Amino acid sequence: MSLRIVVCVKYVPDATGDRHFAEDLTVDRDDVDGLLSELDEYAVEQALQIKEAADGDAEITVLTVGPEDANDALRKALSMGADKGVHVEDDDLHGTDALGTSLVLAKAIEKTGYDLVVCGMASTDGTMGVLPALLAERLGVPQVTQLSEVSVEGGTVKGRRDGDTATEQLEASLPAVVSVTDQSGEARYPSFKGIMAAKKKPVESLDLDDLDIEADEVGLAGAWTKVDEAAERPARTAGTIVKDEGEGGKQLAEFLAGQKFI
Amino acid sequence: MAEVLVYVDHVDGAVRKPTLELLTLARRIGEPVAVHLGPGADTAAATLAEHGAVKVLTADAPEFADYLVAPKVDALQAAYEAVSPAAVLLPSSTEGKEIGARLAVRIGSGIITDAVDLEAGDEGPVATQSVFAASYTTKSRITKGTPVITVKPNSAAPEAAPAAGTVEQLAVTVAETSKGTKVVSRTPRESTGRPELTEAAIVVSGGRGVNGAENFPVIEALADSLGAAVGASRAAVDAGWYPHTNQVGQTGKSVSPQLYIAAGISGAIQHRAGMQTSKTIVAINKDAEAPIFDLVDYGVVGDLFEVVPALTDEVKSRKG
């Protein structure tokens, strides 16, 4: 039977733009362009490579939770080569935190059906890096996370995790949740053919009712965490900048000594 | 006074500095109870007691090493049930965040990651975070369940506060479902003898301007003269000049040292995201227009191959 792969992707505000909080202290999505989180492109890429290694005997579904615009993230993934999309969209989702998002994703993944869930190592906006672990816990399946190499063979997923103190080789039986790092391999660019084909690929739209989730379990009101204050960090005051005319190293040493670093 | 669980990060009982910082922060919200999993609890207990742990709950089982993360979640959950704490604190390491996340789901609690400060509030602990590439500072709290909070290294100075540190065995049953991810092999990273990047008080990083792996010793020599850790920008890592484990930035490590020296790094947003909260920032770059100069306390516009060795010599001679 063919391998069912679900890739979780997130539509995020462009990190090179001027990101802000809205009045309700959620992320302001109007002020800055959104795009598919760069770190999720690695997840799509690895899913495509797993499918290729299985001689195409796999189906890749890309899944996102987010407002209407999040469809752009799905289209990007579809144009890279994913087969179909699932978009969970509901006004009541506004302000959902990581725990709530993991609940929605887990329900959507179960509804879609899966053997393997592939995530990026973290989103480029929240950068928490906890979602794959949250999903594994909710789905009750192994987590094989933070992988720089991943492969699937005969119902087993294997990977390499470069941790803080050691490199580990990991192994788990499917179904499982994996996450991949930016060391897993450069993501491919969509081809013109891929972009054209993506327009015809199916995207299923789901709301909270479809997933049997009550409105008060998610959203800002249902969040497990609350942001009370968000203050823009004052710009750093202009420092001293000198041009090296032979004495730059010495001048810098003088500064460091003045700050008691030497 | 309410008890606060502190997850201990250690290597065979040698407690790592971020855990001592956690104990210091935990004392602001209650009485720290340390949870030490794996070997070396007797060695660790003295250090933990010295930094305020009233109790050390300990468990050792082969499953902690043989399987990824989940058995440790079982153990932390057992500690949670034994203590009924006011909060659970963990270091913001990859593993600390994953353990915290899974525990949060199990106990129906919210989770805050990467706190840079923590204080007691009327409605529970208040965590300060630095977000959007450190352009915003937020204060957040957990509204459901027992707060689970992971804290970044260098968020507090460890303070000694001698406490009993009574060692108690924790009964842990590792669930069959927690044995899903086998650790087939583990290769410890070779020690460079330098401080760990995320914990270091001083970090010296090299970027595209270093122009080759063969030139990184210039950066290393400055780091060694200052007792610093070595970092690298993504450009340098992607070019294969330095290991990914040393990458500073959004997709690498986030650092917040007392002093950050960026050599040959232009300062792309992704890099700034990983170092902008450093207390003092210094840059050396040929390009006077490099965005990194917007952040610096002191900048030298010049050739790093001139400036860095001169600085290294100067540091060495001043230190005698």
Side-chain angles (χ1 to χ4, degrees), chain B residues 241-265:
Chain B
W241 301 341
Y242 221 69
H244 178 248
T245 43
N246 296 68
Q247 185 182 318
V248 172
Q250 190 165 48
T251 61
K253 301 234 164 85
S254 163
V255 300
S256 197
Q258 297 298 319
L259 171 64
Y260 188 82
I261 302 180
I265 291 176

Side-chain angles (χ1 to χ4, degrees), chain A residues 216-232:
Chain A
D216 61 6
E217 290 180 83
V218 293
L220 200 51
W224 281 255
T225 48
K226 185 171 188 307
V227 180
D228 284 324
E229 280 175 54
E232 206 156 356

Side-chain angles (χ1 to χ4, degrees), chain A:
Chain A
M1 203 187 90
S2 98
L3 187 69
R4 295 167 301 168
I5 305 173
V6 177
V7 185
C8 300
V9 301
K10 189 174 182 188
Y11 182 72
V12 298
D14 188 346
T16 59
D18 205 3
R19 294 175 292 179
H20 291 285
F21 282 89
E23 258 177 49
D24 63 358
L25 299 183
T26 61
V27 177
D28 187 337
R29 291 177 179 276
D30 295 334
D31 261 14
V32 54
D33 289 339
L35 75 177
L36 169 61
S37 173
E38 184 208 336
L39 293 170
D40 293 341
E41 291 184 13
Y42 294 92
V44 176
E45 177 62 38
Q46 289 308 311
L48 293 168
Q49 288 192 19
I50 289 165
K51 179 174 176 175
E52 283 156 14
D55 291 328
D57 189 22
E59 185 180 53
I60 302 173
T61 305
V62 279
L63 165 65
T64 198
V65 177
E68 193 184 346
D69 293 351
N71 199 38
D72 290 359
L74 291 181
R75 287 293 163 197
K76 172 81 186 275
L78 292 171
S79 67
M80 287 171 71
D83 300 301
K84 60 190 180 80
V86 173
H87 185 173
V88 184
E89 188 187 353
D90 198 306
D91 288 344
D92 289 326
L93 284 168
H94 175 77
T96 304
D97 66 356
L99 264 121
T101 303
S102 70
L103 174 71
V104 177
L105 285 171
K107 295 252 188 178
I109 288 165
E110 278 170 340
K111 190 178 170 75
T112 302
Y114 72 104
D115 301 299
L116 180 70
V117 178
V118 188
C119 305
M121 60 189 277
S123 68
T124 57
D125 57 348
T127 67
M128 293 175 75
V130 296
L131 200 104
L134 290 171
L135 271 183
E137 182 68 39
R138 287 200 186 277
L139 294 168
V141 301
Q143 70 166 78
V144 196
T145 46
Q146 299 282 330
L147 304 180
S148 54
E149 285 169 14
V150 59
S151 63
V152 174
E153 215 174 317
T156 301
V157 55
K158 294 182 182 183
R160 169 193 162 121
R161 170 164 162 133
D162 291 313
D164 290 339
T165 54
T167 292
E168 293 162 332
Q169 295 292 341
L170 306 176
E171 199 177 293
S173 296
L174 299 182
V177 173
V178 312
S179 75
V180 300
T181 72
D182 60 329
Q183 297 299 299
S184 58
E186 208 56 45
R188 68 194 65 187
Y189 286 104
S191 62
F192 178 70
K193 206 174 134 203
I195 294 166
M196 294 314 286
K199 295 184 180 177
K200 294 188 189 124
K201 289 178 179 172
V203 173
E204 184 185 5
S205 189
L206 299 175
D207 62 17
L208 290 176
D209 279 347
D210 297 323
L211 299 176
D212 292 322
I213 297 173
E214 299 296 327
D216 61 6
E217 290 180 83
V218 293
L220 200 51
W224 281 255
T225 48
K226 185 171 188 307
V227 180
D228 284 324
E229 280 175 54
E232 206 156 356
R233 193 181 159 94
R236 293 183 79 102
T237 46
T240 309
I241 297 183
V242 300
K243 194 170 182 323
D244 176 39
E245 280 160 352
E247 296 292 306
K250 220 169 204 163
Q251 289 167 294
L252 189 43
E254 200 60 48
F255 169 78
L256 295 180
Q259 302 283 317
K260 311 240 182 294
F261 287 116
I262 313 177

